[in-house]
Amino acid sequence: MGGKKDGDGDEAYGKPVKYDPSFRGPIKNRGCTDIICCLLFFVFILGYIVVGIVAWVYGDPQQVLYPRNSTGAYCGIGMNKDKPYLLYFNIFNCILTTNVITVSVNGLQCPTPQVCVSSCPKDPWTVQVNQLSLTVGEVFYTANRNFCLPGVPWDMSVRESLNQELCPSFLLPSTPALGRCFPWPNSSLPELPEISNVSISQGISGLLDSLNARDISVKIFEDFAHSWYWILAALGVALVLSLLFILLLRLVAGPLVLVLILGVLGVLAYGIYHCWKEYQVLRDNGASISQVGFTTNLSAYRSVQETWLAALIVLAVLEGLLLLVLIFLRQRILIAIALLKESSKAVGQMMSTMFYPLVTFVLLLICIAYWAMTALYLATSGQPQYVLWAPNVSTPGCEIVTMNASCDPMEQPVNSCPGLKCVFQSYLSTGLVQRSIFNLQIYGVLGLFWTLNWVLALGQCVLAGAFASFYWAFHKPRDIPTFPLSAAFIRTIRYHTGSLAFGSLILTIVQIVRVILEYIDHKLRGAQNPVTRCIMCCFKCCLWCLEKFIKFLNRNAYIMIAIYGKNFCVSAKNAFMLLMRNIIRVVILDKVTDLLLLFGKLLVVGGVGVLSFFFFTGRIQGLGKNFENPQLNYYWLPIMTSIVGAYVIASGFFSVFGMCVDTLFLCFLEDLERNDGSLDRPYYMSKSLLKILGKKNQAPPKDKKRKK
């Protein structure tokens, strides 16, 4: 294990670390590492910025955020600032021809005029026969029906305006949804021969069922407005619970780990008992797998005795293995507990590390926001195209007009063709930028993954440098640097940007391959046979395992980079060899830490969730008028928000604690290999670890000084 002498040089996983009298923790005199990868990363970031500039120049996100009328003008901005809603003259044409959501996103792909209006119609109305001879002003404008296209003359006859589709022939009570007016499902329908009532009713009902998000969004906004301060209070409780759990580990780590281990043993024991009882009942009833045979209905196997017998054997084996681990590896479990206490002490000495996840969160938010805006601008790049359009091309006078020819929307055509207009068709997709949109989007996705992984790597390396300075401080806390976190951050940014980029690039490539494989599997899922599905599942499983291994290796490589300042490959190799020389200790510590942090997350999230549930549902009485629960439309909304927020906070705090444990563990292993407890080579570990290992330093504490 880790305490082998320097002379044992023929180790299977490399030689133990040799004693270095000049080593006193994270090396200060270091140089830049992985310079080529650093330059590649900076060039890539410059390219990413160029992609963002190109997207900003050519993109037009307004076409996604705002609806467009027939001329391509946006509703709710510019000249139509007071007209935020889009009205379809005959929305039934949209429903009967294609999907309305697609129509609303792609502009005038629906064969009916569209106009921006200040409000949607509230009452049903249809043009009567006796109104056809009246003027537009008399029928529409004086009755406050401002739903005609802009510029329709006051004295134009209603019959002519309807023939040219300049005004709507009917109006239905409508509800604004996604900036568009959609009719109510129970509104009375106009009696028009070209409309099928059944199709219209079904189409409108389905449409409003899926697009009724506006009312829901208003209620959600109201709930957040009434409960945001209580949600912040719940998140504050999560913050306090997370801090208390980590700080109290110094006192209760041992009993807590013992309770968790006994809890796991108890759960397995109950599982064995339950399987045995089920097996007895099914055995007495004669339920055997021979009666069921082979079937794809997995629930059928619950009714056979062999299933419960197999589960009983598996649980019994797990119970036996866990008992053997407790008996023969109890000393290593004690080492893990001592390291947990030491980690809690390190966090207590450097409380600033607990709030470093806020820096990581802000950087991650910037990366995600930049990618989202770039992707949105790229998806909406292109110049608007306008073409000639008429409601009926077979009308006399329209045969001489070239339909779909380009035109200027500011100059409406004057021609003998009834209803001829210059309307918006689509956005140009033949330019250089538009032809490269797919490649630019791929570049953006790669940039998203790489930058996110780099930010996470930066956080791990910075925290590792801070915690390593704690371990290698001989007299704690006197020898701990004044600003260990700031010093580690500056060192990491100045010298190791390339190494972090190298490690994050490797992880990014694996993640991109996984995404591609998931996309292929999604597209071919319907055409796959069982053999193909099995092969695809194996590939995905292998890539998942590879990603987990790379994350584990990168994490320990960043710790070695923070301590020694070497490049990524050398650090990864040294970390891997050191861990393999102490593989049993690694497994024990990893599982004990995972179990403890899982318990901590359950404690924080469960406590906040239960408290939020009882408060927002009004089950807590007698708190006074100032602490009454708010009246909400959806009481589950602040509860779920509090739970998700508590999980994020707990994950952030416990990730710091987990990084502290991993860093101190590697330092502990190297301490065992570097030193022997003599006067010249005393151990840096705590007294509790020395006591567990049966070791001690020869010199008294006041005389322990390293030779220079």
Side-chain angles (χ1 to χ4, degrees):
M1 287 300 161
K4 299 215 176 188
K5 301 293 183 183
D6 297 342
D8 300 334
D10 53 346
E11 302 287 343
Y13 295 103
K15 298 180 180 180
V17 183
K18 294 183 179 180
Y19 169 70
D20 182 3
S22 63
F23 179 75
R24 294 178 179 83
I27 297 174
K28 295 180 175 56
N29 297 324
R30 58 180 72 193
C32 296
T33 56
D34 296 301
I35 298 177
I36 296 178
C37 198
C38 180
L39 295 176
L40 177 63
F41 183 66
F42 278 118
V43 170
F44 181 87
I45 293 299
L46 289 176
Y48 199 20
I49 295 174
V50 170
V51 171
I53 294 174
V54 170
W56 181 76
V57 171
Y58 290 94
D60 183 17
Q62 291 179 346
Q63 62 172 299
V64 176
L65 303 176
Y66 301 97
R68 300 183 299 263
N69 62 14
S70 298
T71 63
Y74 293 106
C75 301
I77 59 174
M79 297 180 61
N80 296 320
K81 184 178 181 180
D82 298 330
K83 300 178 179 180
Y85 306 118
L86 184 71
L87 175 68
Y88 294 86
F89 278 14
N90 188 358
I91 196 173
F92 305 128
N93 290 345
C94 308
I95 297 175
L96 296 177
T97 57
T98 184
N99 185 291
V100 178
I101 300 177
T102 305
V103 170
S104 62
V105 172
N106 294 334
L108 189 63
Q109 304 297 325
C110 173
T112 186
Q114 306 163 31
V115 62
C116 298
V117 296
S118 57
S119 61
C120 296
K122 300 300 181 184
D123 301 311
W125 175 82
T126 305
V127 174
Q128 304 299 320
V129 177
N130 59 356
Q131 295 176 325
L132 295 176
S133 59
L134 301 178
T135 64
V136 171
E138 294 172 330
V139 176
F140 288 93
Y141 297 150
T142 57
N144 199 26
R145 300 188 185 100
N146 300 315
F147 301 116
C148 294
L149 294 177
V152 177
W154 181 284
D155 56 353
M156 177 181 285
S157 68
V158 174
R159 187 187 304 276
E160 184 179 357
S161 68
L162 296 182
N163 290 336
Q164 297 183 23
E165 292 195 350
L166 300 177
C167 295
S169 60
F170 62 90
L171 298 173
L172 293 177
S174 303
T175 299
L178 299 177
R180 295 159 176 85
C181 297
F182 292 107
W184 299 348
N186 57 352
S187 59
S188 59
L189 304 176
E191 297 180 0
L192 298 176
E194 65 273 15
I195 297 177
S196 169
N197 287 336
V198 176
S199 299
I200 293 170
S201 300
Q202 294 175 349
I204 295 178
S205 298
L207 176 68
L208 292 181
D209 286 343
S210 60
L211 295 181
N212 203 16
R214 187 176 181 87
D215 292 336
I216 296 177
S217 63
V218 171
K219 293 179 180 179
I220 290 175
F221 179 80
E222 291 176 351
D223 287 347
F224 276 121
H226 293 154
S227 63
W228 64 269
Y229 42 89
W230 295 115
I231 295 176
L232 291 180
L235 298 183
V237 172
L239 180 70
V240 173
L241 287 178
S242 300
L243 283 173
L244 287 178
F245 184 82
I246 291 176
L247 296 179
L248 290 178
L249 280 178
R250 194 182 312 179
L251 302 175
V252 299
L256 190 58
V257 172
L258 180 61
V259 169
L260 292 176
I261 293 175
L262 293 178
V264 173
L265 288 173
V267 170
L268 291 176
Y270 174 77
I272 294 173
Y273 169 78
H274 181 75
C275 291
W276 171 250
K277 298 298 291 185
E278 293 288 339
Y279 170 73
Q280 277 187 321
V281 172
L282 295 174
R283 183 191 60 184
D284 295 340
N285 295 334
S288 176
I289 195 172
S290 59
Q291 300 174 352
V292 177
F294 178 78
T295 177
T296 57
N297 184 13
L298 299 180
S299 61
Y301 292 105
R302 296 175 54 187
S303 304
V304 297
Q305 56 179 316
E306 287 81 2
T307 301
W308 294 100
L309 179 61
L312 186 150
I313 294 174
V314 171
L315 293 178
V317 170
L318 291 177
E319 183 89 352
L321 289 176
L322 184 57
L323 288 174
L324 290 176
V325 166
L326 293 176
I327 294 173
F328 293 102
L329 300 180
R330 59 187 181 277
Q331 186 180 24
R332 291 180 173 85
I333 295 176
L334 293 177
I335 293 175
I337 295 174
L339 281 172
L340 291 172
K341 293 180 179 179
E342 194 73 6
S343 299
S344 178
K345 187 185 301 182
V347 171
Q349 292 289 343
M350 296 181 290
M351 288 298 296
S352 59
T353 58
M354 297 302 298
F355 299 96
Y356 184 82
L358 295 176
V359 178
T360 301
F361 176 77
V362 171
L363 294 176
L364 292 177
L365 193 63
I366 292 173
C367 294
I368 295 174
Y370 180 81
W371 168 79
M373 294 302 298
T374 301
L376 176 62
Y377 273 82
L378 283 175
T380 57
S381 63
Q383 297 297 321
Q385 300 298 300
Y386 300 90
V387 296
L388 294 173
W389 176 84
N392 190 354
V393 296
S394 61
T395 304
C398 295
E399 64 275 359
I400 61 175
V401 180
T402 303
M403 297 298 171
N404 295 324
S406 299
C407 60
D408 186 357
M410 303 305 295
E411 299 178 1
Q412 289 296 332
V414 178
N415 197 283
S416 58
C417 179
L420 183 65
K421 292 186 291 292
C422 185
V423 299
F424 172 81
Q425 182 187 45
S426 63
Y427 279 81
L428 182 66
S429 59
T430 57
L432 177 61
V433 175
Q434 287 70 43
R435 290 196 302 267
S436 306
I437 283 181
F438 179 77
N439 295 330
L440 294 177
Q441 293 283 24
I442 293 298
Y443 193 96
V445 172
L446 180 60
L448 173 67
F449 278 89
W450 199 357
T451 52
L452 291 181
N453 288 324
W454 186 87
V455 170
L456 294 175
L458 174 66
Q460 293 175 352
C461 195
V462 170
L463 291 173
F467 292 127
S469 65
F470 169 84
Y471 185 92
W472 295 110
F474 196 72
H475 296 95
K476 302 177 180 64
R478 189 184 70 190
D479 293 342
I480 300 176
T482 307
F483 301 104
L485 188 64
S486 301
F489 184 84
I490 294 173
R491 282 199 308 267
T492 304
I493 291 292
R494 180 178 178 182
Y495 298 110
H496 307 304
T497 297
S499 297
L500 302 184
F502 191 8
S504 56
L505 178 61
I506 297 174
L507 181 59
T508 296
I509 293 174
V510 176
Q511 291 174 338
I512 291 293
V513 174
R514 285 194 66 195
V515 171
I516 294 174
L517 199 63
E518 290 287 349
Y519 176 78
I520 295 175
D521 183 45
H522 176 73
K523 287 296 182 181
L524 301 180
R525 184 164 296 174
Q528 290 177 352
N529 55 42
V531 177
T532 307
R533 286 198 298 269
C534 180
I535 295 175
M536 187 66 69
C537 183
C538 292
F539 273 120
K540 292 195 292 185
C541 181
C542 291
L543 285 175
W544 180 84
C545 295
L546 179 61
E547 181 182 352
K548 293 296 182 183
F549 173 75
I550 291 177
K551 285 183 177 180
F552 173 78
L553 187 62
N554 284 3
R555 184 183 181 91
N556 291 281
Y558 298 146
I559 296 174
M560 302 300 277
I561 290 172
I563 298 174
Y564 297 104
K566 297 182 179 180
N567 62 50
F568 177 81
C569 292
V570 173
S571 300
K573 174 188 173 184
N574 293 340
F576 180 75
M577 293 299 181
L578 179 62
L579 294 174
M580 291 304 296
R581 292 196 296 270
N582 300 270
I583 187 62
I584 297 180
R585 286 174 177 160
V586 172
V587 174
I588 295 297
L589 179 74
D590 185 61
K591 297 309 174 186
V592 170
T593 304
D594 288 346
L595 187 63
L596 194 62
L597 295 185
L598 175 62
F599 178 79
K601 288 182 182 180
L602 291 177
L603 179 66
V604 174
V605 177
V608 171
V610 171
L611 183 63
S612 301
F613 174 78
F614 278 94
F615 177 77
F616 288 111
T617 56
R619 287 175 167 81
I620 301 180
Q621 304 295 333
L623 294 179
K625 185 177 181 180
N626 294 329
F627 295 94
E628 291 181 353
N629 62 298
Q631 299 298 321
L632 304 172
N633 298 299
Y634 309 108
Y635 69 86
W636 51 265
L637 187 65
I639 295 176
M640 294 304 300
T641 305
S642 301
I643 291 175
V644 172
Y647 178 80
V648 172
I649 291 175
S651 298
F653 279 98
F654 294 157
S655 66
V656 173
F657 184 76
M659 197 68 202
C660 182
V661 173
D662 291 344
T663 303
L664 297 187
F665 180 58
L666 283 185
C667 295
F668 163 74
L669 297 180
E670 288 213 341
D671 193 9
L672 284 176
E673 294 185 350
R674 283 181 177 277
N675 306 306
D676 57 8
S678 63
L679 181 62
D680 295 332
R681 299 167 58 184
Y683 291 114
Y684 281 80
M685 67 186 71
S686 63
K687 293 181 180 179
S688 58
L689 283 170
L690 287 172
K691 184 177 180 180
I692 293 171
L693 294 173
K695 300 178 181 291
K696 62 181 180 178
N697 289 319
Q698 295 180 1
K702 62 180 180 179
D703 296 329
K704 292 179 186 175
K705 294 184 180 179
R706 304 295 299 265
K707 288 186 177 182
K708 298 186 178 180

